[in-house]
Amino acid sequence: MEMYEGKAKKMIPLDEAKLIMEFKDDATAFNGVKKAQFKGKGVYNAQISVKLFKLLEEKGIRTHFIGIAGENKLIVERLEMFPLEVVVRNIVAGSLKKRLPFKEGHELEEPIVELYYKNDALGDPMINYYHAKSLGVSEEEIKEMERIALKVNEILKEFFKERGILLVDFKLEFGKNSKGEIVLADEISPDTCRFWDAETKKSLDKDVFRFDKGDLISAYEEIYRRISE
Ligand code: 5GP
């Protein structure tokens, strides 16, 4: 694999089994239409991802995290990635408002899991099991990703609740390792999760950038501070 540069990260081959995942300061929203740079964002997202991957590993979730290679660089396991995004939602926000008759902030009785096809040219469309199968992802593989995603939700929801933060929704990506196991990959950060302060309901995530709600770095710093306590 050659070096791969995405919108917010670079994947650099290290050896046969490992990659370096480098977090950039670039931010994009609305499928790349809105762009900016925030000095320090890469470091916060890397450090927050490390803490959350370690927490999930302790709780028995298999992740691609191996180690740290720098303040904005992680060493991760090489995987064959599924071309999917798995979104879990606890509270109504974002694109869910266009799908169900609930207002922003409505607490769902049960978490909702959604599948999206990771494809910029198509704008990451929502898909179902049939679409996924046509893309080479079996029903068993999706069921396993959904099972892991719901377990991650239980662990993270509790962890953030204890720190005065509501886990509104988040996006996960998965890959398969050389043993054929499904492994949690990518990042878990304020770029990929919605976090609200439990009291003020203030956004502490990328919505600050998407909807010009204030200073992005102070929001990310606040998340880092609360999970480091
Ligand atoms: P929504 O569908 O409401 O836009 O997003 C749901 C959740 O998944 C949000 O926490 C959002 O940050 C995350 N998410 C969905 N798609 C993407 C994506 O392509 N990139 C990133 N960084 N996050 C995403």
Side-chain angles (χ1 to χ4, degrees), residues 89-90 102 106-112 157:
R89 303 175 181 275
N90 298 306
F102 304 127
H106 172 85
E107 270 185 55
L108 296 162
E109 289 203 6
E110 299 276 334
I112 290 178
K157 207 166 59 176

Side-chain angles (χ1 to χ4, degrees), residues 17-205:
K18 301 192 227 45
L19 304 167
I20 300 270
M21 184 162 76
E22 182 182 319
F23 290 74
K24 306 196 291 184
D25 286 343
D26 300 318
T28 64
F30 310 116
N31 202 18
V33 171
K34 186 169 177 175
K35 294 192 192 106
Q37 277 213 328
F38 296 94
K39 199 167 157 33
K41 180 177 87 88
V43 175
Y44 279 118
N45 280 349
Q47 297 303 320
I48 292 165
S49 290
V50 167
K51 284 197 185 282
L52 299 178
F53 279 137
K54 283 185 177 168
L55 168 75
L56 293 172
E57 287 277 351
E58 276 167 26
K59 304 274 186 186
I61 303 282
R62 205 189 305 274
T63 81
H64 71 159
F65 174 69
I66 296 173
I68 298 168
E71 58 178 6
N72 69 332
K73 294 185 190 76
L74 314 194
I75 303 169
V76 299
E77 185 181 9
R78 241 183 225 263
L79 301 171
E80 195 188 321
M81 291 299 292
F82 292 102
L84 303 182
E85 298 183 343
V86 180
V87 168
V88 181
R89 303 175 181 275
N90 298 306
I91 297 173
V92 174
S95 70
L96 187 60
K97 285 178 294 192
K98 299 181 200 152
R99 212 172 293 284
L100 293 175
F102 304 127
K103 292 219 164 64
E104 171 126 338
H106 172 85
E107 270 185 55
L108 296 162
E109 289 203 6
E110 299 276 334
I112 290 178
V113 185
E114 299 170 343
L115 296 174
Y116 293 85
Y117 175 34
K118 192 175 160 72
N119 183 306
D120 282 341
L122 296 176
D124 293 350
M126 184 188 252
I127 59 167
N128 64 26
Y129 279 46
Y130 293 89
H131 301 103
K133 201 167 174 193
S134 80
L135 295 166
V137 191
S138 73
E139 190 168 329
E140 294 71 45
E141 287 170 328
I142 294 173
K143 283 197 172 137
E144 176 66 359
M145 287 184 248
E146 290 179 341
R147 187 190 67 77
I148 301 169
L150 285 169
K151 195 166 166 206
V152 167
N153 184 45
E154 287 310 309
I155 298 166
L156 294 185
K157 207 166 59 176
E158 188 58 31
F159 177 79
F160 281 100
K161 189 177 164 197
E162 288 164 1
R163 287 157 181 80
I165 295 165
L166 298 174
L167 177 62
V168 174
D169 56 32
F170 58 95
K171 182 260 303 180
L172 300 177
E173 295 183 27
F174 294 88
K176 213 189 246 186
N177 67 13
S178 52
K179 292 183 238 161
E181 295 159 331
I182 292 181
V183 178
L184 178 60
D186 198 51
E187 68 185 290
I188 309 177
S189 74
D191 267 14
T192 60
C193 304
R194 281 197 176 93
F195 297 120
W196 290 354
D197 180 280
E199 291 208 340
T200 64
K201 306 289 189 301
K202 214 176 86 179
S203 289
L204 296 169
D205 58 60

